[in-house]
Amino acid sequence: MTELVERVDDDDRVIGVVDRGEAIRRRWLHRVATVVCRDTRGRILVHRRPHDDVRFPGGVNFMLGGAAEPGETYEEAAARELTEELGVRARPRFVLKFRCAGVISPYWLGLHEAVVTGPFAPAPDEIAWHDWLTEPQLAELVRDEAFVPDAREAYHRWVSPRREGSHRAEPSAR
């Protein structure tokens, strides 16, 4: 199945629609939207990717998400991914975006946050295991070699009080 994404330039402006696999192979910039989920106690959802996953098999992450579809804003993509991966409908709050170096390929990453208040159903093809961690526990886990490298880069930008190198944008910014 072909997954289409918008190829974007160094300023995150759309320059075309391409197959995501081709964007990755050619290292073309595209958009990825992610969500950091918290519970009502402020803990952060962490999860392990399935061991048979194509990207970062068995890796641990603190964000849910994926590629934005053509025409989607980062916020729309984040909300869709939250529904697909957790079965939760919510309006994620935009936090920051930055150009992620990416281990597999570079991309623009839009990071959002959402509070998950009710029951959820993790998609088994996306989430093999999950738990809620405090911020100090997450800070420790980030150092683990199983932590997804791209998520590690996002984590450091997320916790940086000055958000150095990131771009703040309006929630509807594309």
Side-chain angles (χ1 to χ4, degrees), residues 65-155:
E69 295 176 353
E72 273 186 321
T73 64
Y74 284 98
E75 293 77 13
E76 291 166 343
R80 177 182 49 77
E81 290 287 343
L82 190 57
T83 300
E84 289 175 4
E85 295 186 20
L86 273 190
V88 172
R89 293 202 183 279
R91 237 183 138 168
R93 180 182 63 82
F94 180 84
V95 177
L96 63 96
K97 82 172 180 175
F98 67 96
R99 184 176 166 168
C100 183
V103 169
I104 297 171
S105 174
Y107 53 91
W108 279 97
L109 186 141
L111 190 145
H112 305 75
E113 292 180 351
V115 175
V116 177
T117 58
F120 59 92
D125 61 329
E126 298 278 352
I127 299 171
W129 164 91
H130 69 277
D131 198 2
W132 295 98
L133 300 183
T134 63
E135 288 191 31
Q137 290 170 322
L138 176 59
E140 184 66 30
L141 182 61
V142 168
R143 298 183 198 135
D144 191 290
E145 67 181 35
F147 206 80
V148 172
D150 292 11
R152 186 175 294 116
E153 180 181 356
Y155 171 81

Side-chain angles (χ1 to χ4, degrees), residues 3 20 46-61 63-67 80-87 121-130 148:
E3 181 181 10
R20 185 177 187 198
V46 296
H47 69 281
R48 180 177 303 282
R49 299 173 63 86
H51 288 286
D52 61 353
D53 203 316
V54 176
R55 295 182 186 101
F56 307 111
V60 177
N61 201 335
M63 302 179 299
L64 301 172
R80 177 182 49 77
E81 290 287 343
L82 190 57
T83 300
E84 289 175 4
E85 295 186 20
L86 273 190
D125 61 329
E126 298 278 352
I127 299 171
W129 164 91
H130 69 277
V148 172

